Amino acid sequence: MARPQRIEGYAVISREGMICAADGVMPASLKIDADQRFYHDAVDRADAVANGRHSNEGGPRAATKPRLVLTRHVASLAADPTQPNAVLWNPAGCSFEDAWPRLGVDGVLAVVGGTDVFGLFLPIGYDAFFLSRADVALAAGRPVFPGVPDKPPEEILAAHGLVQKDVRVLDLRAGLTVAEWIRPR
């Protein structure tokens, strides 16, 4: 159990590839109902979640979901004193292969951000990344991956071996699509 059966990433981005404003807060313009439903349904199906200390998927089951909370505030791994199903993980002090078994689950890991978390899992290896793109301007913000906006997120995903499988429209009026990027088998 050194690795989940699948690692899936989920992010909604602005036209410029931002996941939130410069202050770290996701603006209401990126919280589009169709994407929120898509996202929460997917995270509910996942067996565990990986997120940064300041990101959280929310929803009624969020507190019960096993999770790896990435932080620099512990040396390697520690129980999270505020969430009984969470493990605090510092990737600088412990590998993912050693951190994952601490959750005691198997199956799908949903990676839900932020920037450093999404970037960390690029070399670990996403099996799929669901990149929702909204027709929203947010030039000054936090990018989905390190390297954005110098490179578009799609170029970064492709550079890490993922290929775009399909694109679906989630909300035509909002200009919201989701592209599924997968690792070819």
Side-chain angles (χ1 to χ4, degrees), residues 120-146:
L120 174 75
F121 277 89
L122 285 166
I124 290 171
Y126 289 105
D127 296 289
F129 197 99
F130 296 87
L131 187 65
S132 296
R133 185 179 280 278
D135 189 18
V136 170
L138 189 60
R142 295 191 183 167
V144 63
F145 299 119

Side-chain angles (χ1 to χ4, degrees), residues 1-164:
M1 194 171 65
R3 181 177 168 85
Q5 292 173 7
R6 271 180 71 81
I7 299 174
E8 298 177 347
Y10 294 89
V12 60
I13 61 172
S14 69
R15 288 190 298 255
E16 303 83 5
M18 302 300 146
I19 55 174
C20 61
D23 63 2
V25 176
M26 179 186 274
S29 59
L30 278 179
K31 294 180 183 177
I32 302 167
D33 287 343
D35 183 66
Q36 291 289 299
R37 284 190 302 275
F38 172 79
Y39 170 70
H40 286 289
D41 288 349
V43 172
D44 281 349
R45 286 190 302 272
D47 299 291
V49 173
N51 60 270
R53 283 188 321 111
H54 299 294
S55 63
N56 191 350
E57 80 274 10
R61 293 183 26 193
T64 63
K65 183 76 66 175
R67 71 186 58 246
L68 289 172
V69 180
L70 283 79
T71 180
R72 294 178 185 94
H73 288 68
V74 298
S76 59
L77 291 171
D80 186 331
T82 64
Q83 301 178 80
N85 293 325
V87 174
L88 300 175
W89 171 40
N90 182 343
C94 177
S95 71
F96 175 67
E97 290 73 19
D98 289 334
W100 170 249
R102 283 285 297 268
L103 290 181
V105 297
D106 195 13
V108 176
L109 174 65
V111 179
V112 300
T115 305
D116 292 341
V117 178
F118 286 135
L120 174 75
F121 277 89
L122 285 166
I124 290 171
Y126 289 105
D127 296 289
F129 197 99
F130 296 87
L131 187 65
S132 296
R133 185 179 280 278
D135 189 18
V136 170
L138 189 60
R142 295 191 183 167
V144 63
F145 299 119
V148 171
D150 295 335
K151 293 182 180 179
E154 294 84 355
E155 187 177 321
I156 292 171
L157 288 166
H160 284 86
L162 288 108
V163 296
Q164 187 175 301

